Amino acid sequence: MENPIKTKIQRNRDDVKTNILKIYGLSPMQEGLLFHSILEEKSHAYFQQLSFTVDGEFNVTLFEKSLNMIVGRHDILRTNFVHQKMSRPQQVVFREKHIKAYFEDLSMISMQDRENRIHAYLKEERDAGFDLLKGQLIKLSVFKLDDSSHRVVISNHHIILDGWSIGIIAKEVLQTYEILQQGQEATFPEPQPYRTYINWLKKLDMEASLLYWQEYLDSYQQCTGVPKQYRVTDKGAYQHEEAGFTICKEVSGGLESLARQNHVTLNTVVQTIWGILLQRYNNSEDAVFGSIISGRPSDIPGIEQMAGLFINVIPVRIKCDQNQSFSALIKQVQNQALASGKHEYCSLAQIQSSTQLKQGLLDHILEFENYPVEKIVSTEENQRHRIDDVQLFMQTNYDFNVSVIPGEALGIRIRFNAFVYDREFVESIQGHLERIARQVIDKPEMSVRHITIITPEEKSRILSGFNHTDTNFPYRKTLQELFEGQVEQTPDKTALVYEGHTLTYRELNHKSNRLAALLRKSGVRKDSITALLLKRSPQMVISILAVLKAGGAYLPIDPEYP
């Protein structure tokens, strides 16, 4: 007799197989993201959330239908990833996938409670993550704020969409929604499938590219990162924070003029300035950081409207003779960028493995955003509603990420792990960047060695503020009397720490008193000179206090002196 349970399981398997449209390999960047997702399952890395407020008439069911129509257009939105029991991971494209919107009505609670609830939901969604093997890799959530306002959240795993593609998808969904609202049929030109890009990658000579990067990074031996200030020891702990600022129009315009005059891109100028900043932070003449490239090859027809993950991270090296002029350096960096452009599709993991520093090669990335998602969504015109408060949450596996947004005034957005980097220092970066920028704009031919990062405010604080040490001091009391006064105030507080061992003020006072008594018995009197032959240790501190308590003076002698 046929087992009904086995029959049902077999039928489900057959349905899955029938629903599979295509199976093919991954891009190098996709493989990297898959590796990190498997390695750190609970991490928020590569979880992207685009959220915006829709003011005006809004139909949740119609918006859900609009998103599903776009899911049907782009194969990457119907993709899952298989890696178990396989020599190389594969992405599986399904013929059909249906997105069901999550809806919550918050119109009956206060504005603050709405914000708290949405914030909590977004975190819950990030904590839940994505099932890359079986789950939906793009989700839709809608929160009703009031009768004429809704908060929309489109979430996805970065392995299927880069920032540019999120903009494409969001724009198409909004356009489709507008057309359906008008009772019309939404039609778009058939997009190129993502596998077109994967097939293009297969034709590249990756071995030649890897050899290029080996030569490019040859002799680079020390990571030049942004100074860290660890606050926790748990590996993988991440507290996502952001800091943003703009470079004033005067300086931004000056940088653009500098780029034009030297026949280089603004991106090259910004990267060179960032490299010099890293050199100063690390006291080095050689700096390397990660740069995100768009990765959309112009020789693929329709690449501009194709959705998927095209970006890649490549190293950028700013190495110079400190006597070299800034104008000569940016031309050198531009030439290096042109040479690197032919090899920018190489796997970062392979590049790192071929270097001396391995995974320690990069500790942060810098991105020049020519296609900011927030601007694309907020400028999407619609007769029935207005898009407002557009936000994009994005977290990588790097603790420090810099985005440069071009415009009349350059925007700088820094996403960082607050457990690793100090916010006060992160915010000081604005002044350091502007300080370098103003110098090179005024004197492009100045040598790199003369470029400084200290701002006038920091210089004043160092020279004046830090040296403002005037204070009332009980000058009639001796050092030992001041110490004993502190013992009375805080007897059980830690007074001395050495190699994991501690002494409280009470314990230190007790030990020094005992030694002082022995010194007196040995003949130490007022104005006596006692030689101390001791290395830095608790015994040295105890001995100094004991000599002073005994009434004498001490003469330190270096125990290493012959």
Side-chain angles (χ1 to χ4, degrees):
M1 183 175 178
E2 188 177 16
N3 188 319
I5 296 178
K6 288 184 177 180
T7 301
K8 185 176 180 179
I9 292 173
Q10 185 61 46
R11 188 180 298 120
N12 289 337
R13 287 176 176 172
D14 291 341
D15 289 343
V16 170
K17 290 180 180 179
T18 304
N19 194 26
I20 293 176
L21 178 65
K22 197 77 175 179
I23 301 176
Y24 51 90
L26 281 63
S27 71
M29 189 68 174
Q30 283 182 312
E31 288 188 348
L33 267 58
L34 179 62
F35 171 78
H36 286 291
S37 298
I38 297 169
L39 190 65
E40 302 174 6
E41 291 183 1
K42 297 182 179 180
S43 171
H44 293 170
Y46 303 111
F47 195 111
Q48 300 181 134
Q49 286 175 319
L50 174 67
S51 59
F52 51 89
T53 300
V54 181
D55 293 324
E57 180 184 342
F58 190 76
N59 185 316
V60 178
T61 303
L62 206 59
F63 198 87
E64 178 188 283
K65 180 179 180 180
S66 301
L67 176 58
N68 277 297
M69 289 180 67
I70 301 308
V71 170
R73 272 176 48 76
H74 296 280
D75 62 349
I76 193 66
L77 302 181
R78 306 188 308 278
T79 298
N80 285 108
F81 296 82
V82 182
H83 63 87
Q84 295 176 333
K85 299 179 180 179
M86 305 189 75
S87 58
R88 293 292 295 271
Q90 298 288 303
Q91 49 190 325
V92 180
V93 181
F94 293 90
R95 297 180 188 278
E96 293 182 357
K97 268 185 177 288
H98 183 78
I99 309 299
K100 179 65 178 176
Y102 171 84
F103 176 77
E104 193 170 336
D105 188 346
L106 305 179
S107 61
M108 303 303 291
I109 61 178
S110 69
M111 184 178 297
Q112 184 60 53
D113 287 342
R114 291 178 207 160
E115 291 180 4
N116 292 340
R117 172 55 192 144
I118 294 174
H119 178 78
Y121 176 85
L122 296 181
K123 186 179 183 304
E124 290 168 9
E125 196 174 51
R126 292 195 291 267
D127 288 342
F130 289 100
D131 181 352
L132 296 180
L133 177 61
K134 300 178 182 178
Q136 298 282 13
L137 301 189
I138 183 167
K139 302 176 182 179
L140 172 64
S141 306
V142 180
F143 299 88
K144 182 179 179 180
L145 307 180
D146 53 50
D147 290 338
S148 60
S149 184
H150 291 72
R151 188 71 180 169
V152 177
V153 182
I154 300 176
S155 305
N156 70 275
H157 195 287
H158 196 15
I159 198 169
I160 63 169
L161 296 174
D162 54 27
W164 186 326
S165 297
I166 291 175
I168 291 173
I169 298 303
K171 187 172 183 178
E172 288 188 0
V173 171
L174 291 168
Q175 289 175 345
T176 301
Y177 177 65
E178 167 70 7
I179 293 170
L180 294 180
Q181 274 187 314
Q182 296 174 1
Q184 300 175 8
E185 184 179 353
T187 58
F188 295 93
E190 190 70 20
Q192 283 273 24
Y194 184 64
R195 66 176 179 272
T196 304
Y197 170 69
I198 299 297
N199 291 335
W200 180 86
L201 285 175
K202 291 179 180 178
K203 301 175 183 178
L204 301 180
D205 187 349
M206 292 300 185
E207 291 186 5
S209 292
L210 186 59
L211 180 60
Y212 166 82
W213 289 112
Q214 288 174 334
E215 295 175 351
Y216 179 78
L217 296 166
D218 183 49
S219 75
Y220 181 71
Q221 300 176 345
Q222 178 183 353
C223 178
T224 47
V226 179
K228 299 177 175 65
Q229 181 177 323
Y230 289 96
R231 300 186 184 184
V232 294
T233 55
D234 293 341
K235 191 174 187 253
Y238 203 109
Q239 180 178 321
H240 180 93
E241 290 191 16
E242 296 187 14
F245 53 87
T246 56
I247 305 296
C248 69
K249 293 181 181 179
E250 174 195 357
V251 174
S252 297
L255 292 175
E256 289 185 357
S257 296
L258 180 63
R260 286 194 302 270
Q261 292 166 7
N262 288 274
H263 307 290
V264 301
T265 65
L266 180 59
N267 185 22
T268 293
V269 175
V270 172
Q271 286 186 340
T272 306
I273 289 174
W274 184 256
I276 291 173
L277 183 62
L278 292 177
Q279 290 178 2
R280 295 296 180 270
Y281 284 160
N282 294 274
N283 191 29
S284 171
E285 296 183 356
D286 196 0
V288 172
F289 56 91
S291 174
I292 297 180
I293 54 98
S294 67
R296 290 178 179 260
S298 58
D299 49 344
I300 296 181
I303 191 69
E304 300 297 322
Q305 296 305 314
M306 193 185 299
L309 181 68
F310 300 91
I311 64 167
N312 197 19
V313 176
I314 60 172
V316 173
R317 187 175 188 177
I318 310 295
K319 182 180 181 181
C320 60
D321 175 349
Q322 293 295 301
N323 291 318
Q324 188 176 11
S325 70
F326 181 81
S327 58
L329 179 58
I330 56 177
K331 292 172 184 175
Q332 171 186 308
V333 174
Q334 179 76 32
N335 290 334
Q336 289 175 339
L338 292 173
S340 296
K342 301 174 184 178
H343 307 281
E344 61 186 18
Y345 300 95
C346 192
S347 165
L348 177 62
Q350 289 184 328
I351 295 173
Q352 291 174 315
S353 296
S354 68
T355 66
Q356 295 182 36
L357 296 177
K358 307 297 182 184
Q359 298 303 312
L361 178 68
L362 307 175
D363 75 345
H364 71 282
I365 54 178
L366 182 144
E367 176 184 16
F368 198 83
E369 288 190 32
N370 286 313
Y371 204 76
V373 178
E374 296 91 335
K375 186 176 292 186
I376 296 167
V377 177
S378 61
T379 55
E380 182 60 31
E381 296 182 0
N382 196 294
Q383 298 175 3
R384 297 170 184 256
H385 59 255
R386 181 171 63 89
I387 306 298
D388 196 13
D389 191 20
V390 182
Q391 297 179 20
L392 178 64
F393 172 88
M394 183 186 298
Q395 180 178 309
T396 72
N397 65 305
Y398 291 95
D399 289 318
F400 198 88
N401 308 269
V402 185
S403 296
V404 181
I405 301 96
E408 192 174 0
L410 275 177
I412 309 291
R413 178 170 53 203
I414 300 175
R415 298 182 176 99
F416 64 99
N417 184 354
F419 286 143
V420 177
Y421 293 94
D422 178 67
R423 172 169 280 277
E424 184 177 353
F425 175 77
V426 171
E427 292 176 344
S428 73
I429 290 175
Q430 174 181 6
H432 299 158
L433 289 174
E434 287 193 344
R435 175 66 175 151
I436 296 175
R438 289 183 182 277
Q439 292 172 82
V440 299
I441 289 170
D442 290 341
K443 297 179 180 178
E445 298 303 321
M446 74 183 305
S447 62
V448 174
R449 76 167 56 252
H450 293 132
I451 297 175
T452 62
I453 66 170
I454 297 177
T455 65
E457 294 76 18
E458 288 175 325
K459 184 176 182 180
S460 175
R461 188 161 66 250
I462 292 170
L463 296 180
S464 302
F466 291 167
N467 286 320
H468 186 63
T469 57
D470 295 343
T471 185
N472 293 323
F473 186 77
Y475 61 91
R476 294 184 181 277
K477 289 188 176 182
T478 63
L479 178 62
Q480 59 269 31
E481 288 174 332
L482 290 172
F483 171 75
E484 288 172 347
Q486 187 65 42
V487 173
E488 292 180 5
Q489 292 180 32
T490 57
D492 298 317
K493 293 288 186 181
T494 300
L496 188 149
V497 178
Y498 180 76
E499 292 185 349
H501 301 286
T502 62
L503 286 177
T504 65
Y505 280 98
R506 190 198 309 274
E507 292 168 335
L508 181 57
N509 190 51
H510 177 68
K511 290 179 179 291
S512 60
N513 284 342
R514 289 183 62 186
L515 182 57
L518 290 173
L519 290 174
R520 289 194 190 100
K521 288 182 180 180
S522 300
V524 174
R525 295 291 181 269
K526 183 179 180 180
D527 297 330
S528 298
I529 295 177
T530 303
L532 299 181
L533 183 61
L534 292 166
K535 293 182 179 181
R536 291 191 178 189
S537 62
Q539 289 70 31
M540 182 188 74
V541 178
I542 293 168
S543 299
I544 291 172
L545 286 171
V547 171
L548 295 174
K549 285 171 180 278
Y554 67 91
L555 175 66
I557 297 176
D558 188 345
E560 303 298 331
Y561 190 80

